[in-house]
Amino acid sequence: MMPVILWTDALIFVLIAVAMASAFWVRRRPHLMLPWQRVAQSRVGMVSLLVLSLFLAVGLLDSLHYRAALADKNNGETVYSPEVLSAFDHLVDELRTHTEKTYSAPLSAYLYAKETIAQPDGSTQRDFPRLKFGGAHLADPAQEWAGDVVRRGLVGAADGVLLAGLLAVSLSSFLRKRKSGGVESRPFLNGWIPAFAGMTKVTRDVVVATLILAALLGALVNLAAAYHVLGTDKVGQDVLYLSLKSIRTGLVIGTVTTLVMLPFALFLGVAAGYFRGWVDDVIQYVYTVLSSIPSVLLIAAAVLMMQVVIEQHADWFETAAERADVRLLALCLILGVTSWSGLCRLLRGETLKLRELEYIQAAQAFGVSSLRILARHIVPNVMHIVLISVVMEFSALVLAEAVLSYVGVGVDPSTISFGTMINAARLEMGREPMVWWTLAAAFSFMLVLVLAANLFADAVRDAFDPRLNRTA
């Protein structure tokens, strides 16, 4: 196995390192911890963060790439497969490799279209063929299917709840021991029964949400071991696998684009508001002109030009995954360069207000340099706007990728994303019988991701916006 680090993987790792360093830095400053403590007291915010954590876990596992070693060797040297896989692919290998001939409905044991089947006596019959993997363990699907699906779903849900309950009780017991100095103050059985005793409302909501998610995931895993839970697409790929693989693309678009957008918006917005004069006029002219150009046309033109460059220099890339990753990174760069104007306007207005405050004018009177004033007084006082805008912009960027990929100017066709799934489902919705599950799966996963991000953004906004009432 040979590890492979794509450009987007490297950026994700850098972003994680920055987030961890920032969390450590904020934790040591009580005045910076206070807004995050308010976020932790939000029931909706913590439940939505729990859901987002599941998406982040899938995205991180899908960012650990490698190339598998082949069995044969060339002059004693190990030969590696040209296919780039990830740790997530290895974890769900059965979903990835158990492909059918063509379409099959969710949880079905048969193909979705009739075919001519040769009978043992030499005759032919038009019927729905059995799937190779989905429901293959059933001897008579017509009689056994319903009971098997219900049984597997209930057993998986029970296993998930039991595992989550054991983890919750173990964590609660550990925290009680740590709080009491290493001495358990309750009998063992008594610690199991009142598991919710002493919990806050936020903790109870998070525990209940965890149990519900554990039940759903347990049922999903148990069913996916024997069926295609969300059906298969035109080439027989599992739609659940495609939906899970699309999560990383959405997260990369939302996070890396934000990483590209922030320097433009923060530097130009603060500079325009603080220096004013000709600097303000130039920056306003730039983002006014940029906002006047239709964003879709600007992004489409930039993506098409980048696509031409990639096609003319195919020798730059050793594998198809590297080429697709460069196009994904280029899309992030283009979206970042073209979407900073809104945040820049907000930061300019906030900086215009801050520079008139007494402590800024006092610093100017004492001869403090402009660079020091910006670093010590202006930028820290606009970071709440930056954080709120970044969290709220994430969901908009995820939706933008879906729209751009749908019209054909988004990610590479070989990259699995919500947009490519929706684009593939466009023709499937018009056939007879209609294939609806690809579109439904992409819509459902994207809805949950964007809704969780929006709810968490609302909690962050309520905690960081100083204009909101804190008396509640």
Side-chain angles (χ1 to χ4, degrees):
M1 182 179 69
M2 180 176 68
V4 175
I5 299 180
L6 304 177
W7 282 102
T8 54
D9 296 340
L11 289 175
I12 289 175
F13 299 148
V14 169
L15 193 60
I16 293 174
V18 171
M20 294 176 64
S22 301
F24 179 76
W25 186 73
V26 168
R27 186 178 180 183
R28 302 179 63 181
R29 290 159 176 79
H31 67 286
L32 297 178
M33 276 294 296
L34 183 60
W36 289 110
Q37 290 172 353
R38 296 193 188 107
V39 175
Q41 294 170 1
S42 171
R43 300 160 71 178
V44 175
M46 294 309 295
V47 172
S48 60
L49 180 61
L50 175 64
V51 176
L52 280 176
S53 300
L54 296 177
F55 284 95
L56 290 174
V58 173
L60 291 178
L61 287 174
D62 206 17
S63 298
L64 302 174
H65 290 100
Y66 67 93
R67 291 170 61 185
L70 299 177
D72 54 339
K73 296 186 177 182
N74 184 17
N75 295 328
E77 296 182 358
T78 304
V79 179
Y80 294 97
S81 169
E83 183 181 14
V84 177
L85 302 176
S86 67
F88 178 76
D89 290 326
H90 180 74
L91 189 64
V92 295
D93 186 64
E94 290 188 356
L95 286 180
R96 182 178 66 88
T97 57
H98 287 185
T99 58
E100 307 292 348
K101 185 177 181 180
T102 183
Y103 298 113
S104 64
L107 294 173
S108 178
Y110 298 93
L111 288 178
Y112 196 57
K114 287 185 176 181
E115 293 183 356
T116 302
I117 303 175
Q119 300 299 315
D121 58 359
S123 62
T124 59
Q125 180 181 356
R126 294 282 296 176
D127 201 355
F128 298 99
R130 287 287 302 272
L131 298 178
K132 290 193 300 181
F133 300 103
H137 63 288
L138 301 177
D140 186 6
Q143 301 294 329
E144 303 173 9
W145 175 82
D148 185 68
V149 169
V150 172
R151 180 183 60 82
R152 285 180 174 271
L154 292 177
V155 171
D159 291 342
V161 170
L162 180 60
L163 179 60
L166 289 174
L167 292 176
V169 172
S170 300
L171 179 60
S172 177
S173 177
F174 170 76
L175 293 176
R176 284 201 305 270
K177 285 183 180 180
R178 185 176 180 181
K179 188 175 182 181
S180 60
V183 179
E184 180 61 65
S185 58
R186 297 179 181 178
F188 179 75
L189 290 177
N190 195 31
W192 280 70
I193 298 172
F196 287 171
M199 289 185 179
T200 63
K201 291 183 178 180
V202 176
T203 306
R204 289 195 186 100
D205 288 346
V206 172
V207 170
V208 171
T210 302
L211 294 176
I212 293 174
L213 289 175
L216 293 176
L217 291 176
L220 187 66
V221 169
N222 204 25
L223 287 170
Y227 298 94
H228 299 289
V229 179
L230 297 180
T232 57
D233 64 358
K234 185 176 182 180
V235 296
Q237 284 188 298
D238 193 287
V239 174
L240 175 60
Y241 170 74
L242 298 177
S243 301
L244 293 173
K245 289 285 288 185
S246 300
I247 292 175
R248 179 186 181 272
T249 305
L251 294 177
V252 168
I253 292 288
T255 54
V256 176
T257 302
T258 301
L259 194 65
V260 174
M261 174 190 69
L262 271 183
F264 291 97
L266 184 60
F267 175 77
L268 296 178
V270 170
Y274 182 79
F275 293 107
R276 299 191 297 186
W278 67 269
V279 176
D280 187 19
D281 293 338
V282 170
I283 293 176
Q284 281 194 77
Y285 178 79
V286 171
Y287 69 60
T288 301
V289 172
L290 186 62
S291 301
S292 302
I293 304 175
S295 58
V296 175
L297 296 180
L298 182 62
I299 294 171
V303 169
L304 291 176
M305 288 189 294
M306 179 59 66
Q307 183 176 348
V308 171
V309 173
I310 292 175
E311 291 178 352
Q312 290 179 347
H313 300 84
D315 55 316
W316 289 356
F317 314 105
E318 188 175 353
T319 61
E322 294 179 0
R323 182 184 62 188
D325 185 73
V326 168
R327 177 165 174 175
L328 176 60
L329 178 61
L331 179 61
C332 294
L333 295 175
I334 294 166
L335 285 173
V337 171
T338 57
S339 60
W340 55 266
S341 58
L343 179 57
C344 183
R345 282 195 184 97
L346 293 176
L347 295 178
R348 173 185 174 272
E350 187 70 13
T351 305
L352 284 172
K353 181 181 70 175
L354 290 174
R355 78 181 308 275
E356 302 300 329
L357 297 180
E358 289 82 358
Y359 67 93
I360 300 293
Q361 295 180 353
Q364 293 172 343
F366 279 109
V368 180
S369 65
S370 297
L371 184 61
R372 187 173 180 84
I373 292 175
L374 289 173
R376 292 292 299 273
H377 301 298
I378 300 295
V379 172
N381 283 287
V382 300
M383 287 309 294
H384 69 282
I385 294 179
V386 173
L387 186 59
I388 294 169
S389 300
V390 163
V391 178
M392 298 188 71
E393 189 73 15
F394 172 83
S395 57
L397 291 170
V398 174
L399 295 175
E401 182 276 325
V403 173
L404 292 173
S405 297
Y406 175 75
V407 298
V409 294
V411 299
D412 190 85
S414 62
T415 301
I416 303 174
S417 72
F418 295 122
T420 54
M421 289 181 65
I422 294 173
N423 188 32
R426 177 179 55 180
L427 299 177
E428 296 174 354
M429 296 293 291
R431 73 187 298 274
E432 181 61 35
M434 182 176 65
V435 178
W436 52 268
W437 47 87
T438 304
L439 179 63
F443 175 80
S444 300
F445 273 79
M446 192 163 54
L447 172 65
V448 174
L449 175 59
V450 172
L451 181 60
N454 285 340
L455 292 176
F456 184 68
D458 289 342
V460 172
R461 181 197 60 199
D462 294 343
F464 279 82
D465 195 339
R467 295 170 296 182
L468 297 179
N469 186 12
R470 303 295 180 200
T471 58

